[in-house]
Amino acid sequence: MIKGSCLCGDIRFDTAAQPKGASMCHCSQCRKQSGGIWSSAYVRDEDLNITGRVSWFVASAAAKRGSCRRCGSFLFWKAHDEDTTSFALGAVDGNTGLSVEKHIFAASKGDYYEIADGVPQKD
Ligand SMILES: [Zn+2]
C-alpha cells in the first residue's frame, strides 16, 4: 500500500495497486508547476483513492493537473483520454518501493543540472 498527501494534509491518496511507469519529467509545464523535476508513477483510476478537494488545472489539450488549493502541492497528472492517473512520488509517505525507469522530456530540462544517473532518457 502506497499512501501520500499534499504538504498541508488536506488531500490524501492511497493505492493498493502496483504503480507503473516511474519517471522524472523535465517538461516546461512540470518545471513550472513543481518548481523543478516532477517524479511520478501511475495506477488505474479505479485503483487510486483520493480524499480532499483537488484543484484540477487543464494545462493543455492533452491533460489536466491536480493540486491542493491550500498549500499548492502538485499531486496528480491525468491525460484526458487515458484511464490512469499519475501521482507525485515526492508526496508519498515513507518508501515507494519503486525505482525511476526513465527521464521524459529530457530535451526540455533546465540548464542548471545534468542528468547523470544512467537512467534512460526520452525527449
Ligand atoms: Zn494541501
Side-chain angles (χ1 to χ4, degrees):
M1 175 72 83
I2 283 179
K3 295 183 178 182
S5 75
C6 65
L7 178 58
C8 76
D10 277 1
I11 298 171
R12 297 186 181 281
F13 63 92
D14 66 65
T15 184
Q18 177 62 39
K20 297 178 180 174
S23 66
M24 300 178 80
C25 185
H26 304 261
C27 83
S28 62
Q29 291 184 355
C30 281
R31 287 170 59 190
K32 288 184 180 293
Q33 194 169 19
S34 71
I37 304 162
W38 195 62
S39 303
S40 69
Y42 65 85
V43 293
R44 293 172 59 87
D45 294 339
E46 66 229 45
D47 292 329
L48 184 63
N49 303 305
I50 299 172
T51 58
R53 189 164 166 215
V54 177
S55 175
W56 289 102
F57 175 65
V58 180
S60 70
K64 60 182 180 179
R65 296 161 169 272
S67 60
C68 174
R69 67 181 63 240
R70 182 152 80 116
C71 70
S73 294
F74 167 29
L75 298 173
F76 306 112
W77 183 95
K78 175 160 182 52
H80 299 314
D81 62 354
E82 293 175 2
D83 64 353
T84 59
T85 297
S86 297
F87 61 90
L89 293 177
V92 171
D93 296 316
N95 293 330
T96 64
L98 303 172
S99 292
V100 170
E101 300 169 5
K102 60 189 173 184
H103 291 274
I104 58 176
F105 292 96
S108 301
K109 79 172 189 62
D111 64 355
Y112 50 90
Y113 62 91
E114 297 300 328
I115 303 172
D117 56 8
V119 173
Q121 301 180 27
K122 292 178 68 175
D123 287 343

